[in-house]
Amino acid sequence: MSLKRTSATVGSAATNSIPVATFLLALLLRMESVKLRSRSGLAKLAGVTLCLAGVLIIAFYAGPSIRPLARNPVFAHKPHSVSTGSEWIKGTFLLIVACATLSLWIVLQVPLLKEYPNKLMATALQCLFGALQSFVVAVAFERDFTKWKLGLDIGLLAVIYSAFLGTGALMYLQAWCAEMRGPVFVAMWSPLALVFTIFCSSFFLGEIVRLGSILGGILLIGGLYSLLWGKIKEMDIKITSAVPGEIQVQADESPRHQKIEEEELTSQV
């Protein structure tokens, strides 16, 4: 519903708000912390501010259009007229709601993997319940079953790609990364999607890209990497503060181990 009111580029740019929403949810659940007196805490706060500014620019500023990269797009596609009125704002709002729900899903993967350490099992359960929910929604909103048929066209390719890569492989890789580095780190790599989407939508679909979407996307990416820098800085501080303690423990235990070895050697003699 949001893509019909905006464009693929705006949809990809709006997904860059996922790390901010993920960070805020993790902060509410006490999975993350912010120290405003430190540089890492200020970087996180600046990242949130830049992301909010990027979302506002996308919603309220369209700007001049940029010509498509290909005059004859690879796939037949008739670009829809872009509205800067209430429909555009409504589409952006729907994208933010979708990103917020996706952020909640990323956060909930951490306790889920504690109950189900097998990532393949967790992925299978998510796909199963997602398929059931999608089926119920599809039956409720589309009663004409003739539109459910798939032909040998780009629609079939999109379904296959979404099933194997966009859902199966994506869920498994995200679960693996969330278990290794946490939910915020997973969402930090979403800015790359904006670059690929701008190129693909302009080259393959002949879509008109708006300057406001690009500027908002740049602010979103800047905010995300500011948040990432603050996260990495906190990890470095934790590692630096933990190393002296480990060295001290090893130094305290080493004479004890030497004494035990001497006693064992004496008893053997």
Side-chain angles (χ1 to χ4, degrees), residues 135-148:
F135 176 76
V136 173
V137 174
V139 172
F141 283 90
E142 186 56 67
R143 302 293 180 87
D144 187 5
F145 292 98
T146 58
K147 296 182 180 181
W148 289 46

Side-chain angles (χ1 to χ4, degrees), residues 99-150:
C99 294
T101 55
L102 183 57
S103 300
L104 181 60
W105 169 63
I106 294 176
V107 172
L108 292 178
Q109 283 192 45
V110 177
L112 175 66
L113 291 174
K114 292 181 180 179
E115 296 291 334
Y116 300 95
N118 190 343
K119 291 181 286 294
L120 288 176
M121 178 63 70
T123 302
L125 289 175
Q126 293 177 51
C127 291
L128 174 62
F129 286 105
L132 295 176
Q133 180 182 1
S134 300
F135 176 76
V136 173
V137 174
V139 172
F141 283 90
E142 186 56 67
R143 302 293 180 87
D144 187 5
F145 292 98
T146 58
K147 296 182 180 181
W148 289 46
K149 296 181 180 180
L150 292 175

Side-chain angles (χ1 to χ4, degrees), residues 78-259:
K78 183 179 180 180
H80 59 276
S81 59
V82 180
S83 175
T84 58
S86 60
E87 290 296 317
W88 181 274
I89 298 175
K90 186 184 297 183
T92 305
F93 174 75
L94 291 175
L95 283 172
I96 299 302
V97 173
C99 294
T101 55
L102 183 57
S103 300
L104 181 60
W105 169 63
I106 294 176
V107 172
L108 292 178
Q109 283 192 45
V110 177
L112 175 66
L113 291 174
K114 292 181 180 179
E115 296 291 334
Y116 300 95
N118 190 343
K119 291 181 286 294
L120 288 176
M121 178 63 70
T123 302
L125 289 175
Q126 293 177 51
C127 291
L128 174 62
F129 286 105
L132 295 176
Q133 180 182 1
S134 300
F135 176 76
V136 173
V137 174
V139 172
F141 283 90
E142 186 56 67
R143 302 293 180 87
D144 187 5
F145 292 98
T146 58
K147 296 182 180 181
W148 289 46
K149 296 181 180 180
L150 292 175
L152 297 177
D153 52 10
I154 186 62
L156 179 61
L157 178 61
V159 171
I160 295 176
Y161 177 86
S162 177
F164 287 95
L165 296 179
T167 302
L170 175 65
M171 285 185 175
Y172 178 79
L173 292 176
Q174 282 188 343
W176 179 75
C177 291
E179 183 182 17
M180 295 293 294
R181 301 299 298 272
V184 177
F185 186 84
V186 175
M188 285 301 169
W189 298 98
S190 59
L192 290 177
L194 177 61
V195 179
F196 290 117
T197 303
I198 292 176
F199 175 78
C200 293
S201 61
S202 180
F203 184 79
F204 292 102
L205 301 178
E207 185 179 83
I208 298 175
V209 180
R210 297 287 181 173
L211 181 61
S213 302
I214 297 178
L215 293 178
I218 292 174
L219 288 178
L220 286 170
I221 292 175
L224 296 178
Y225 283 109
S226 177
L227 193 63
L228 178 61
W229 184 88
K231 181 67 177 178
I232 295 176
K233 196 67 176 178
E234 283 187 352
M235 294 176 62
D236 293 339
I237 294 175
K238 290 180 181 179
I239 293 174
T240 304
S241 60
V243 169
E246 294 178 358
I247 296 176
Q248 183 66 29
V249 171
Q250 293 177 359
D252 293 340
E253 292 181 352
S254 57
R256 181 181 178 184
H257 288 304
Q258 291 179 359
K259 185 176 180 180

Side-chain angles (χ1 to χ4, degrees), residues 7 26 39 52 60 77 84 138 144 172 191 198 204 233 267 269:
S7 64
R39 290 187 298 174
L52 292 176
F60 298 104
H77 175 71
T84 58
D144 187 5
Y172 178 79
I198 292 176
F204 292 102
K233 196 67 176 178
S267 62
V269 172

